[in-house]
Amino acid sequence: MNPRPLRRVLIANRGEIALRIMRACRDEGLETVAVYSDADRYAPFVRVADRAVRIGPAAPVESYLRIAVLLEAARASGADAVHPGYGFLAERAAFAQAVDDAGLIFIGPPASAISAMGDKTSARRLMAAAGVPIVPGSLAALNDPDEAAAVAREIGYPVLVKAAAGGGGKGMRVVAAPRELAAALATASSEATKAFGDGSVYLEKYIERPRHVEIQILADHERTIHIGERECSIQRRHQKLVEEAPSIAVDEALRERMGAAAVAAGVAVGYRGAGTCEFLLASNGDFFFLEMNTRIQVEHPVTEEVYGVDLVREQLRIAGGRAMSVPYGRLVPRGWAIECRITSEDPANGLLPSAGLIRWMRAPAGPGVRWESGVETGSEVTLFYDSMLAKLVVHAPDRRQAIDVMQRALSELTIVGVATNVPFHRALLADPEFLAGTIDIQFLDRRADLLAAADDAATTMRLAVAAALLADDRRLSRRGTVPAAAPERVASSSAWAATARRDALR
Ligand code: ADP
């Protein structure tokens, strides 16, 4: 492969990941081009970019998902490469191909690797052939309920109906007994048709209480390596909320076995760049391939923290035809990293997405803290996009200390204007089971109390800060000047809140 140096990168994404990629571009000496919808006109990622191109109205189908418009933006801005981030078009083989056909560099794997992993049943066949352990079940989409019943009998109940084109946990149904099978097939299939335009479903053995452990891989023209695991068992409705590296359940020997399987998966599809193999890890130490994400993952920072690798910079190097900068030989994780996804989901309202103006935001800082945010004071949170506002990542010498640093950071974080899931994170990190690390992917199903927890604290906090802002507004109107440092005085102490309330009511 001829090195083809990158110069100017268009980021076909938004929010925190667009900013994350732009930072890596800066560090690599590359120029950046943002694309934005009308809803994102004033977003931080647009301001930070060297150039910015409007691509349409707020709805993703009218902006971030329009391949032709993105390619035209690349042409008009003189970009020579496109980074897709995660979500949106990141795992559309057609997009990778279109970028390639336009003579631009796609910062990701070849389109062929994306499509090989895009369909779950074909990925399962490929993985089985490559010697990667897969969950027992069907290797192709099911034709009818009789065939499904036969497969289910063979692998044994409970079974899981899954959409072949699946993603985001859609089109999945657990079936405990034969009489429930036909109905589950029908609902999963219609859900899959709605979500993916493809109703094909297949069956997997339902693994009881596994952990979700995934392996980061990196591949250049010369070698394919793994960079350890991430534990992502803290999920709600199959959406990850908290991730850690390393995993408390993985020792050096298991890491090498899972790592070797992930590398074999990458090699089997001719992978390039950064990718992730997701596995279910059963309590007996057996692990099964779930899927491969052919892109940078939301939770990549925890790997970066414990391995000292900048995965996005490595993506850029590899896309430019250079070798990865990761040293040869076995990599050893250093310390412990945890990520909490801060979402605009309202604990007082069943954790449904909330929208509104972020009247004020104060990010945590200090030793061991990394804040990856797509929003700031003054940002408008809409319901058009993913509800994740920011990621709070911490790194400390061991798991216990990482949890303590995370609690410290969460206690400093203030977001006023939209409800967030911060109270959930605080309750989770204080929970004895979480502290002991005895978690699995059904943990939050059993512990709904944590999800509902502490919304009292959130409400109190919101009231206190609203009072403070009101007080500031009044002072401001009295003096007719802007008190520059005023929001800095907003803290979570109750004494302070009481004063603020009094001021506000005066
Ligand atoms: P999607 O692509 O929709 O995210 P995945 O195959 O990655 O689907 O599965 C999503 C989640 O569903 C996993 O993280 C895990 O929590 C659960 N899951 C998937 N397959 C199984 C299985 N065979 N047994 C138990 N849980 C499973």
Side-chain angles (χ1 to χ4, degrees):
M1 181 182 185
N2 286 330
R4 215 175 118 193
L6 312 185
R7 196 173 49 86
R8 187 176 297 164
V9 179
L10 179 136
I11 294 99
N13 216 300
R14 62 179 300 282
E16 70 86 19
I17 195 62
L19 277 165
R20 167 72 187 93
I21 294 162
M22 287 176 197
R23 292 186 180 117
C25 288
R26 282 272 152 83
D27 289 343
E28 285 290 307
L30 305 175
E31 293 173 33
T32 55
V33 181
V35 292
Y36 63 94
S37 72
D38 291 339
D40 283 332
R41 183 179 322 174
Y42 302 113
F45 78 90
V46 178
R47 220 170 45 232
V48 164
D50 296 312
R51 289 177 169 69
V53 182
R54 177 189 175 269
I55 49 167
V61 290
E62 296 183 273
S63 48
Y64 297 103
L65 292 173
R66 291 173 75 190
I67 293 178
V69 173
L70 292 165
L71 292 179
E72 173 52 27
R75 196 200 54 76
S77 60
D80 45 27
V82 175
H83 196 307
Y86 56 68
F88 293 130
L89 296 168
E91 290 182 285
R92 294 262 186 96
F95 183 52
Q97 192 60 55
V99 169
D100 200 45
D101 292 345
L104 304 167
I105 295 170
F106 181 75
I107 301 171
S112 56
I114 301 177
S115 53
M117 288 297 184
D119 178 272
K120 292 197 181 206
T121 54
S122 75
R124 279 166 61 77
R125 288 194 296 276
L126 260 172
M127 292 303 103
V132 178
I134 59 171
V135 188
S138 42
L139 286 176
L142 298 162
N143 293 309
D144 54 65
D146 290 343
E147 189 187 346
V151 174
R153 233 185 345 266
E154 198 184 310
I155 59 179
Y157 287 87
V159 296
L160 188 61
V161 183
K162 292 176 88 165
K170 292 202 185 75
M172 292 201 314
R173 282 288 176 289
V174 184
V175 183
R179 63 188 151 71
E180 298 165 13
L181 184 61
L185 288 167
T187 44
S189 178
S190 83
E191 203 173 302
T193 306
K194 271 194 216 109
F196 317 112
D198 173 0
S200 331
V201 293
Y202 69 102
L203 284 187
E204 275 180 17
K205 172 93 188 147
Y206 182 68
I207 313 287
E208 307 268 4
R209 294 197 176 194
R211 288 171 186 263
H212 174 120
V213 176
E214 59 187 31
I215 302 282
Q216 177 70 51
I217 67 163
L218 200 58
D220 61 15
H221 53 281
E222 198 179 284
R223 55 185 175 135
T224 301
I225 64 166
H226 79 85
I227 312 182
E229 79 283 3
R230 294 185 283 263
E231 158 99 53
C232 314
S233 298
I234 300 296
Q235 307 182 347
R236 171 175 173 265
R237 299 198 191 127
H238 306 301
Q239 298 292 343
K240 299 162 188 167
L241 285 171
V242 176
E243 301 96 340
E244 321 181 28
S247 164
I248 203 167
V250 176
D251 60 15
E252 188 55 44
L254 181 56
R255 179 172 302 129
E256 284 317 307
R257 282 199 294 133
M258 295 184 79
V263 165
V267 170
V269 295
Y271 206 80
R272 282 287 178 284
T276 297
C277 265
E278 298 191 330
F279 295 99
L280 291 179
L281 176 61
S283 45
N284 66 359
D286 287 346
F287 62 89
F288 307 99
F289 173 86
L290 255 192
E291 65 172 345
M292 183 165 178
N293 290 138
T294 53
R295 51 167 165 84
I296 194 75
Q297 211 123 335
V298 174
E299 59 273 24
H300 75 276
V302 291
T303 298
E304 296 186 321
E305 294 300 319
V306 292
Y307 284 97
V309 171
D310 186 320
L311 290 167
V312 183
R313 287 185 72 173
E314 296 298 339
Q315 286 189 299
L316 296 170
R317 287 178 70 98
I318 294 168
R322 291 150 73 202
M324 66 177 88
S325 72
V326 182
Y328 283 79
R330 176 174 297 187
L331 304 171
V332 181
R334 195 180 58 82
W336 212 278
I338 303 179
E339 170 179 283
C340 287
R341 298 190 187 193
I342 310 299
T343 64
S344 53
E345 293 172 325
D346 189 354
N349 188 22
L351 285 169
L352 284 172
S354 61
L357 175 72
I358 298 184
R359 291 204 57 183
W360 189 55
M361 186 175 96
R362 185 176 199 279
V369 175
R370 173 171 167 183
W371 175 246
E372 299 275 355
S373 173
V375 295
E376 62 189 2
T377 300
S379 292
E380 185 80 41
V381 177
T382 72
L383 298 178
F384 285 108
Y385 312 115
D386 193 89
S387 62
M388 193 180 78
L389 303 177
K391 309 184 301 205
L392 180 51
V393 184
V394 301
H395 185 211
D398 59 34
R399 187 169 187 267
R400 183 63 226 216
Q401 292 181 70
I403 290 171
D404 290 345
V405 173
M406 184 63 89
Q407 283 285 26
R408 181 242 288 161
L410 286 168
S411 76
E412 286 182 23
L413 171 61
T414 309
I415 297 177
V416 184
V418 293
T420 72
N421 66 349
V422 168
F424 154 73
H425 287 300
R426 302 210 58 180
L428 174 77
L429 294 169
D431 183 74
E433 273 189 271
F434 181 79
L435 289 171
T438 51
I439 49 175
D440 59 75
I441 61 173
Q442 280 127 38
F443 178 75
L444 286 186
D445 298 337
R446 298 193 296 275
R447 298 296 310 278
D449 59 308
L450 292 172
L451 290 165
D455 81 72
D456 278 357
T459 308
T460 309
M461 183 68 190
R462 273 206 294 279
L463 272 177
V465 181
L469 289 168
L470 183 55
D472 278 337
D473 283 353
R474 289 187 180 187
R475 256 193 297 278
L476 191 145
S477 59
R478 267 203 298 274
R479 272 189 273 144
T481 55
V482 178
E488 289 299 323
R489 288 185 285 101
V490 179
S492 56
S493 95
S494 53
W496 180 88
T499 312
R501 241 185 257 252
R502 247 195 338 268
D503 283 358
L505 296 172
R506 219 169 15 226

